[in-house]
Amino acid sequence: MLNEEVQDSMKELLKEYDVKKLNMGDILKGTVIDVNDKEASVNINYAFDGLISKEEISLDGKDPREVLSKDDEIDVYVISPNDGEGYVELSLVRALQIKEKEDIEEFYKNQKNITVKIKEETKGGVIAYYGNIRIFIPGSLAGRQRVELNTLVGKELEIRITELDLRNNKIVGSRRVIEEEEYNKNKKIIWESLKEGEKKTGIVKKLVKFGAFVDIGGVEGLIHISDLSWERVNKPEDVVKEGDNVEVFIGNVDRKNQKLSLILKDVTKEPWTIHSNDIKEGEIFEGKVARLTNFGAFVELFDGIEGLVHITEITNENIAKASDVLELGQKVKVKVLNYNKEDKRISLSIKDAIESSKEYLNYIDSDEDEAGTSLGDLLKGFKFE
């Protein structure tokens, strides 16, 4: 009898205020009047206030006071226009879910980024939430590079929705697509900014037989083995290792094909530039045998500068190959026969250096001369019968 009287009173009050009738499922704007550990009361600009139970405030059982505060303005969902006790039964959770689904649909349609919170690691990926909406992020889409999934739990992550099926509650998100876009954008900017001869800091990423690949901040370039050092290099690992921080010079930039050559050796210390005036035809140098070939031997005069001793200029004797009388690393005296500074070519002779030494011997005693040079010094390292 009492409930009937309350309902009759409510009907009369509604008639008196001529208020629009509420329907289940309506979304209303409201202001929190009061909140305690069990529920929250809300002013919805209606003849009667609304009431939200703890279960309809949060799905994870939080204390309502952790979610709502007095005077908060919120959207609420009408569960029942009349709970039988003079209140409108409302839900914050359901209103949020509707709004969140609308957001998700808009984000997916317009391919906008959204921020989610990672709740847990699961088989093949992680579970994230946008409010109360569950989103699955596969491990392969958690980042552009491999990510330890357990390190993401509890963190917020900006993602893009890549699959959406609300009817079957299937929503898939990707962090990787965002990072790929950022990487490509930065990569384009870097390619446009590259200037030949400019110095950059990079990290050695990979070693191959013909050189080393170095990342200079989003773009990888190749240091050819010949550009690792001014000295001859047999294999890249003799100079650098993967993970090394290096300073390199920009070589050739092919923006069209996105190919970049880098130089590790200091271009400001190019040996031919430094020693070009130190080499003169007719002078005798002490060098080191750097390479042996069928047609002669290459002798290094300075680091990075080699000259050719043709097989006919090694000795007056008939030899089949340079290795018959010379060894790699052997120190020998050589005479400069021809020096082409522009083409960086030097012709050398060992036998002429020996002849010059013999001629020199005719003018000096066997003791060291005033300059301190002896015949033994001139013939240092040379093999002869």
Side-chain angles (χ1 to χ4, degrees):
M1 179 67 70
L2 182 59
N3 283 342
E4 290 178 2
E5 290 177 357
V6 171
Q7 289 178 10
D8 290 341
S9 297
M10 287 177 62
K11 289 177 182 178
E12 289 299 322
L13 189 57
L14 289 174
K15 287 178 182 179
E16 183 180 339
Y17 278 86
D18 192 23
V19 180
K20 181 181 177 181
K21 184 179 179 182
L22 296 183
N23 296 302
M24 183 179 69
D26 285 348
I27 302 293
L28 306 174
K29 293 284 185 183
T31 303
V32 177
I33 300 171
D34 186 40
V35 59
N36 56 46
D37 62 340
K38 294 183 175 59
E39 60 194 12
S41 56
V42 182
N43 176 5
I44 53 175
N45 294 318
Y46 187 63
F48 307 105
D49 293 330
L51 201 64
I52 313 175
S53 66
K54 180 179 180 179
E55 293 72 26
E56 294 295 336
I57 292 175
S58 171
L59 287 176
D60 51 11
K62 288 183 179 177
D63 187 310
R65 292 167 294 188
E66 294 180 29
V67 181
L68 297 175
S69 299
K70 184 179 179 181
D71 296 327
D72 281 351
E73 294 185 354
I74 57 175
D75 289 329
V76 289
Y77 176 94
V78 178
I79 298 176
S80 173
N82 178 9
D83 68 353
E85 296 183 4
Y87 285 96
V88 180
E89 189 177 356
L90 303 173
S91 172
L92 176 64
V93 168
R94 300 186 201 189
L96 287 174
Q97 286 177 333
I98 292 172
K99 180 64 169 59
E100 289 159 359
K101 286 182 179 179
E102 290 175 351
D103 288 345
I104 290 286
E105 288 177 321
E106 181 187 352
F107 291 137
Y108 176 67
K109 180 181 178 181
N110 299 311
Q111 284 298 283
K112 292 182 179 179
N113 300 341
I114 64 172
T115 300
V116 298
K117 186 162 186 179
I118 310 299
K119 290 291 186 180
E120 60 181 302
E121 181 181 359
T122 188
K123 184 178 180 181
V126 292
I127 302 299
Y129 280 86
Y130 175 72
N132 296 293
I133 305 294
R134 182 181 184 274
I135 301 170
F136 175 62
I137 304 174
S140 60
L141 299 181
R144 182 175 171 270
Q145 297 180 329
R146 187 175 179 276
V147 179
E148 292 294 336
L149 299 180
N150 63 310
T151 63
L152 298 177
V153 177
K155 294 181 179 179
E156 289 189 341
L157 197 66
E158 191 176 29
I159 66 166
R160 185 90 47 82
I161 301 299
T162 55
E163 290 185 47
L164 180 62
D165 183 357
L166 290 174
R167 180 175 296 179
N168 295 306
N169 292 320
K170 182 181 180 182
I171 306 175
V172 178
S174 170
R175 171 63 188 174
R176 179 172 181 168
V177 67
I178 296 175
E179 292 184 358
E180 288 285 0
E181 288 177 357
E182 292 175 349
Y183 173 78
N184 291 328
K185 181 180 178 181
N186 292 333
K187 191 175 180 180
K188 183 179 179 181
I189 293 172
I190 294 172
W191 274 106
E192 291 175 350
S193 68
L194 294 177
K195 296 178 182 178
E196 294 185 8
E198 190 176 21
K199 200 170 187 179
K200 293 281 187 179
T201 300
I203 301 174
V204 179
K205 289 294 184 180
K206 184 180 180 181
L207 298 182
V208 291
K209 288 183 179 179
F210 49 85
F213 285 96
V214 174
D215 186 325
I216 57 171
V219 170
E220 280 194 11
L222 171 67
I223 306 176
H224 191 271
I225 192 169
S226 61
D227 289 322
L228 285 169
S229 172
W230 289 115
E231 298 179 17
R232 184 168 298 279
V233 178
N234 294 318
K235 49 185 184 294
E237 50 265 41
D238 290 341
V239 181
V240 293
K241 293 179 176 58
E242 290 184 9
D244 281 356
N245 291 309
V246 293
E247 287 190 340
V248 295
F249 292 89
I250 303 296
N252 183 58
V253 181
D254 183 352
R255 291 183 176 84
K256 182 178 179 181
N257 299 305
Q258 293 197 341
K259 290 185 178 180
L260 173 67
S261 66
L262 302 173
I263 302 168
L264 181 64
K265 57 190 182 184
D266 192 339
V267 295
T268 64
K269 297 180 180 179
E270 199 275 323
W272 289 92
T273 301
I274 295 174
H275 299 290
S276 61
N277 295 326
D278 297 333
I279 303 171
K280 294 180 176 61
E281 292 183 5
E283 286 194 355
I284 294 177
F285 289 87
E286 180 179 278
K288 181 174 66 177
V289 178
R291 285 183 290 160
L292 296 174
T293 67
N294 291 331
F295 53 84
F298 285 90
V299 175
E300 186 179 66
L301 303 182
F302 300 98
D303 288 343
I305 296 181
E306 295 178 359
L308 172 65
V309 181
H310 192 270
I311 192 168
T312 59
E313 294 295 334
I314 295 176
T315 176
N316 287 321
E317 298 180 6
N318 291 324
I319 57 175
K321 52 188 183 295
S323 58
D324 288 343
V325 292
L326 297 176
E327 296 177 354
L328 287 175
Q330 179 182 348
K331 290 184 177 181
V332 294
K333 297 292 183 180
V334 292
K335 181 179 181 179
V336 179
L337 299 180
N338 182 268
Y339 174 37
N340 188 322
K341 188 182 296 186
E342 287 71 29
D343 295 337
K344 299 178 180 179
R345 290 183 180 179
I346 306 175
S347 296
L348 303 172
S349 174
I350 292 176
K351 68 179 185 180
D352 279 10
I354 296 297
E355 291 301 321
S356 296
S357 298
K358 289 180 180 178
E359 292 174 4
Y360 185 64
L361 188 60
N362 294 329
Y363 295 95
I364 61 172
D365 296 326
S366 58
D367 295 329
E368 292 183 2
D369 63 4
E370 294 179 359
T373 302
S374 67
L375 179 60
D377 291 330
L378 292 170
L379 300 180
K380 185 177 181 180
F382 183 71
K383 289 185 175 182
F384 56 92
E385 299 298 330

